[in-house]
Amino acid sequence: MMELSSTDLEKGWDSDKLPCHIAIIMDGNGRWAQRRALPRTAGHAAGAETFRRIATYCKDIGIKYLTIYAFSTENWKRPPAEVKVIMELLEKYLHEALGKMEKDRVKMKFFGDVTVLSPKLQELIAQTEELSAKFEGVQINICVNYGGRDEIVRAAENYVSDVKNGRIADEKLTEESFSRYMYSAGMPDPDLVIRPSGELRLSNFLIWQTAYSELYYTDVLWPDFSEQELDKAIVSYQNRNRRFGGI
Ligand code: IPE
Ligand code: IPE
Ligand code: MG
């Protein structure tokens, strides 16, 4: 066995067994704000900061894929003013990301139907994906107007349309070939899914891809989620016995 470095010992995890793909449901922004008698939108602003910090940390410790749930297909039920602030925060983040792209060298992808977002946001998303496509090694997927069921229905529609148009042979569909119709095509499934804020559910997040993911729940609210909390989640993950149906 390889020796653990002192830093690893400090963090408590083994750098040889890091999850390749971590997915996070950024939840608890509203409650965080409520507890401080602040508007919910202040919680979203604080949550965006946490995202910056955690994304940087994941990159620094060598996580290859980070998938973040930012806005679900169900989140449109929220008051328009709250939705507007979330979209503005995303816009702000993308401006920044574009500005320091050459320095960060992170490939960025978006999961979800972005065609209903503002033209400005769509343009920023397209630019971010295009300009970061050349980077290898670290990838961040941001789920916006994303729903797991919506993703599966779209995949089925696109598959049928490919068969109808003769783009692919009408052969038996397999789990592997169907996966190529998901937003996550070509990427490994999440090894670890983290949900802060105490809710014990997936809320329509990556329901196809998480079939065998390890789930980690914590009561910490997303704006309070720290690098140490991520360390704890990784330690918990490393103590699991992943059997994938075997023995
Ligand atoms: C997560 O925080 C952010 C989004 C869903 C966009 P919430 O806004 O859901 O926070 P709570 O769950 O109300 O505390
Ligand atoms: C899940 O959080 C969606 C995101 C974090 C983007 P929600 O706050 O929308 O989930 P529910 O409503 O508690 O299930
Ligand atoms: Mg919530």
Side-chain angles (χ1 to χ4, degrees):
M1 207 183 108
M2 260 182 68
E3 290 264 332
L4 290 174
S5 76
S6 56
T7 346
D8 296 335
L9 285 174
E10 220 170 85
K11 296 180 194 301
W13 42 252
D14 179 347
S15 53
D16 290 334
K17 291 192 290 186
L18 280 174
C20 171
H21 185 171
I22 295 181
I24 304 179
I25 301 171
M26 303 195 284
D27 197 18
N29 295 349
R31 279 162 283 173
W32 181 90
Q34 229 164 8
R35 283 180 199 172
R36 285 164 179 73
L38 295 168
R40 290 179 55 85
T41 49
H44 295 311
E49 281 307 318
T50 302
F51 166 62
R52 287 178 179 83
R53 251 189 314 104
I54 295 300
T56 303
Y57 187 60
C58 282
K59 183 183 173 224
D60 290 348
I61 64 175
I63 303 300
K64 301 269 185 287
Y65 293 88
L66 174 66
T67 301
I68 286 282
Y69 206 4
F71 193 87
S72 75
T73 46
E74 288 75 33
N75 286 147
W76 298 107
K77 292 175 191 163
R78 296 185 179 208
E82 179 172 338
V83 171
K84 185 165 173 276
V85 167
I86 294 171
M87 295 304 161
E88 283 167 359
L89 285 165
L90 179 60
E91 218 176 280
K92 182 169 173 250
Y93 173 75
L94 291 178
H95 270 297
E96 276 171 32
L98 279 164
K100 55 193 187 74
M101 188 154 275
E102 293 298 326
K103 182 176 151 275
D104 279 356
R105 309 188 69 77
V106 173
K107 184 185 219 149
M108 292 184 66
K109 285 267 185 196
F110 288 80
F111 291 7
D113 176 18
V114 298
T115 64
V116 298
L117 305 180
S118 73
K120 199 168 160 201
L121 207 40
Q122 286 186 56
E123 174 58 28
L124 282 168
I125 287 174
Q127 260 188 303
T128 307
E129 283 195 334
E130 199 184 311
L131 294 173
S132 73
K134 61 177 188 253
F135 300 128
E136 280 167 21
V138 184
Q139 177 165 338
I140 295 181
N141 306 309
I142 302 183
C143 304
V144 186
N145 189 24
Y146 172 88
R149 287 184 173 175
D150 180 67
E151 177 181 34
I152 293 169
V153 170
R154 273 163 205 280
E157 279 174 350
N158 290 333
Y159 168 75
V160 170
S161 135
D162 275 358
V163 172
K164 271 194 191 150
N165 297 321
R167 278 192 291 268
I168 56 162
D170 185 7
E171 57 202 27
K172 196 177 176 305
L173 193 58
T174 63
E175 289 182 13
E176 203 262 320
S177 64
F178 194 53
S179 288
R180 293 200 285 269
Y181 286 87
M182 299 291 162
Y183 294 116
S184 55
M187 303 168 203
D189 287 338
D191 299 294
L192 171 64
V193 176
I194 300 172
R195 180 164 195 162
S197 93
E199 309 298 352
L200 307 179
R201 54 177 171 258
L202 282 174
S203 300
N204 207 7
F205 186 45
L206 303 175
I207 55 177
W208 170 269
Q209 298 87 342
T210 54
Y212 269 103
S213 302
E214 294 299 326
L215 310 178
Y216 180 86
Y217 295 98
T218 167
D219 286 336
V220 173
L221 303 171
W222 177 248
D224 291 328
F225 196 89
S226 60
E227 290 84 340
Q228 290 70 36
E229 295 298 332
L230 192 84
D231 288 339
K232 277 193 228 169
I234 295 174
V235 169
S236 167
Y237 165 82
Q238 292 187 336
N239 286 318
R240 311 272 181 98
N241 180 7
R242 300 184 83 187
R243 285 184 292 277
F244 299 99
I247 52 169

